Amino acid sequence: MTHTHVAGSIHADATSRAPGWLAVPEDVNALLPRLWSQTVSKDADGVLQVGGMSVLDLAEQVGTPVYVVDEVDLRARARAFAEAFAGWEVYYAAKSFLCTAVARWVSEEGLGIDVCTGGELAVAQRAGVDLRRVGLHGNNKSVAELRQGLSAGVGRIIVDSFDEIARLEALAGELGIRARVMVRVTTGVEAHTHEYIATAHEDQKFGFSIAGGQAAAALAACAGAEWLDLVGIHSHIGSQIFEPDGFEVAARRTLRLHADFARSTGTELPELDLGGGFGIAYTSADTPSTPQALATALRGIIEAECAALGVAVPHLSIEPGRAISGPSAFALYRVGTVKQVLLDGGTSRLYVAVDGGMSDNIRTALYAAEYSATVANRRSDAPPAIARVVGRHCEGGDILVRDEFLPADVAPGDLVAVPASGAYSRSMASNYNHVPRPPVVAVRDGEVCTLVRRETIEDLLALDVG
């Protein structure tokens, strides 16, 4: 779904009941395993368990709303990418979710980290990760951020404009530090995703256009700079991508640029980054690939294209973020009110309002993203009813889960869990309506550990100097 009304999609789909992919479940209590992390299950009473711990105990200890990370699962997903892409560099895309503990976890599982602000770099520094395995991204890095990256010794800086190339050359010369750089290019590939998260078409802010000639000019500028060490080309085509077709077209165009540069300069650049964007399952309609299947497909694509172009296969890298953090966490909420809203044609929808909302997950409102949900504190014998899980904010578009079948007897006090909430929920969270952001906790072996504490009203007031 895309927004078709200036005030948001909520104003454009009033007659919608449920999407065609959402089937009435045989058992409204059952979990669809591919939506959940590996240690999640329900016991005989229908109570959700994660990492050997009941959500009843979890909610009592830390309250709601809360983001719940399955540490075993997150580590396993990071490790699976490292193993499947052995011989490549795998960088965890920090923007999906980053805190000090997660930076340490992915580093311990063999991954580097891709950051795109000075704040994300500061977390990586605090975590004590090997900064030679950190890449600094971003389309408008400040002088302070570039200085921070150079002084910290990041392994690569991905340049995104001619202004940045000149800025980085001057700064590196001032500091006497050679900067290892990659040039981000736009390949003209339209990823099959929402317009706001498709990043390789021409009409957008990222990178240098291959078709327009700017990419070749940027490579030449970096190669001719005294203090820049040009190591390769970077391509990223978007997010939440399930098929390798887009990567194939992007790789072909990027490698053609790589080969053209080699022919014109006599130098084959040693590295190529294919970016990330690997999709995950948010609903029953999503069928993501595995790291092993992705690795097999991408290896085949690169080897075939390099052979056709007569160039050696460069040292390759990818940047999964959502595919690691997303399925590893769920959001847990408590129901406050339930309304049955009559629709035209004699049908109705349950509006289930919880104690969170668009301030802790903006993606449904921003991208019309789809999510699933389950009642997490009990088993129900009631029939399934079409429901919409909404938040507490003063906004008609404050929707967390647009369409889901929940038990018809869902009631105030129930716990509702939303799977696949680990990516871009806490990262994009806000204090809309002056609501403090929820904590992030990790669960493992029946123990809960706070990764990011719950904000308080005192935290918000401390920033208000008026």
Side-chain angles (χ1 to χ4, degrees):
M1 178 185 297
T2 56
H3 294 319
T4 55
H5 189 284
V6 68
S9 62
I10 184 62
H11 299 280
D13 67 342
T15 61
S16 172
R17 304 296 185 276
W21 53 262
L22 184 61
V24 180
E26 293 183 8
D27 180 0
V28 74
N29 303 285
L31 300 178
L32 185 61
R34 70 173 179 269
L35 304 185
W36 299 87
S37 62
Q38 64 180 261
T39 75
V40 167
S41 63
K42 281 189 174 182
D43 66 16
D45 295 322
V47 178
L48 198 71
Q49 312 285 320
V50 57
M53 187 175 194
S54 159
V55 295
L56 295 176
D57 294 335
L58 186 62
E60 183 177 353
Q61 285 190 38
V62 303
T64 59
V66 57
Y67 306 107
V68 184
V69 180
D70 182 343
E71 180 185 345
V72 169
D73 186 88
L74 191 148
R75 284 180 175 273
R77 292 178 189 276
R79 192 163 56 251
F81 270 98
E83 292 172 352
F85 286 89
W88 296 35
E89 295 294 330
V90 181
Y91 291 83
Y92 172 68
K95 65 177 184 172
S96 68
F97 173 67
L98 185 66
C99 66
T100 304
V102 166
R104 289 197 193 106
W105 293 350
V106 297
S107 179
E108 289 168 359
E109 299 301 337
L111 273 56
I113 300 179
D114 180 73
V115 302
C116 55
T117 67
E120 290 179 353
L121 176 55
V123 174
Q125 290 176 284
R126 185 186 188 195
V129 303
D130 183 354
L131 295 174
R132 293 170 299 180
R133 300 196 66 204
V134 170
L136 178 58
H137 233 110
N139 71 299
N140 187 25
K141 307 176 196 69
S142 68
V143 170
E145 287 171 325
L146 291 172
R147 184 184 298 273
Q148 178 186 358
L150 286 169
S151 300
V154 297
R156 62 185 192 177
I157 297 175
I158 296 87
V159 295
D160 202 271
S161 68
F162 290 109
D163 291 330
E164 182 182 2
I165 292 171
R167 188 178 300 146
L168 184 59
E169 164 71 358
L171 187 57
E174 174 191 324
L175 297 174
I177 300 171
R178 288 190 61 80
R180 296 182 79 254
V181 301
M182 301 186 83
V183 171
R184 176 158 178 174
V185 302
T186 51
T187 60
V189 175
E190 189 83 39
H192 297 295
T193 185
H194 191 284
E195 176 189 357
Y196 295 169
I197 54 177
T199 57
H201 56 278
E202 298 293 344
D203 190 10
Q204 47 90 28
K205 70 176 187 176
F206 291 107
F208 297 91
S209 169
I210 293 177
Q214 289 88 356
L219 290 173
C222 290
E226 180 181 357
W227 289 96
L228 304 186
D229 182 10
L230 176 63
V231 297
I233 301 172
H234 186 289
S235 166
H236 181 68
I237 63 173
S239 296
Q240 191 57 0
I241 301 166
F242 294 112
E243 301 297 331
D245 305 38
F247 289 104
E248 182 171 5
V249 178
R252 183 178 302 122
R253 295 176 183 177
T254 304
L255 283 168
R256 190 176 300 131
L257 174 67
H258 171 92
D260 288 345
F261 180 83
R263 279 191 291 272
S264 64
T265 64
T267 301
E268 289 190 15
L269 295 174
E271 298 184 26
L272 173 66
D273 191 302
L274 297 178
F278 311 118
I280 66 170
Y282 288 103
T283 73
S284 59
D286 296 328
T287 54
S289 188
T290 64
Q292 188 59 59
L294 286 167
T296 299
L298 293 181
R299 278 195 176 94
I301 289 168
I302 295 297
E303 289 171 2
E305 293 300 325
C306 286
L309 291 166
V311 295
V313 175
H315 187 57
L316 298 162
S317 53
I318 56 165
E319 298 165 0
R322 180 200 316 265
I324 294 171
S325 62
S328 300
F330 61 86
L332 186 66
Y333 303 97
R334 192 173 295 278
V335 177
T337 64
V338 179
K339 293 180 182 179
Q340 188 170 49
V341 177
L342 296 178
L343 307 177
D344 61 331
T347 60
S348 64
R349 189 198 315 274
L350 289 178
Y351 272 75
V352 180
V354 298
D355 53 358
M358 63 192 298
S359 62
D360 56 75
N361 187 352
I362 192 64
R363 295 186 69 256
T364 305
L366 182 62
Y367 301 141
E370 302 284 2
Y371 282 87
S372 301
T374 189
V375 170
N377 60 301
R378 63 183 174 89
R379 182 172 181 83
S380 173
D381 294 323
I386 188 67
R388 179 164 288 174
V389 182
V390 298
R392 60 181 295 196
H393 296 286
C394 189
E395 195 76 41
D398 179 21
I399 297 170
L400 287 166
V401 183
R402 185 174 302 277
D403 300 289
E404 181 60 287
F405 282 102
L406 295 178
D409 65 352
V410 60
D414 279 335
L415 295 174
V416 170
V418 177
S421 294
Y424 302 105
S425 294
R426 182 58 172 80
S427 294
M428 300 175 75
S430 73
N431 294 123
Y432 184 43
N433 290 150
H434 275 62
V435 172
R437 287 175 292 183
V440 183
V441 302
V443 182
R444 178 171 184 163
D445 299 329
E447 300 289 333
V448 61
C449 173
T450 298
L451 304 184
V452 181
R453 71 167 174 83
R454 187 183 300 279
E455 283 186 336
T456 65
I457 294 296
E458 288 71 27
D459 289 326
L460 302 187
L461 293 178
L463 298 175
D464 187 340
V465 298

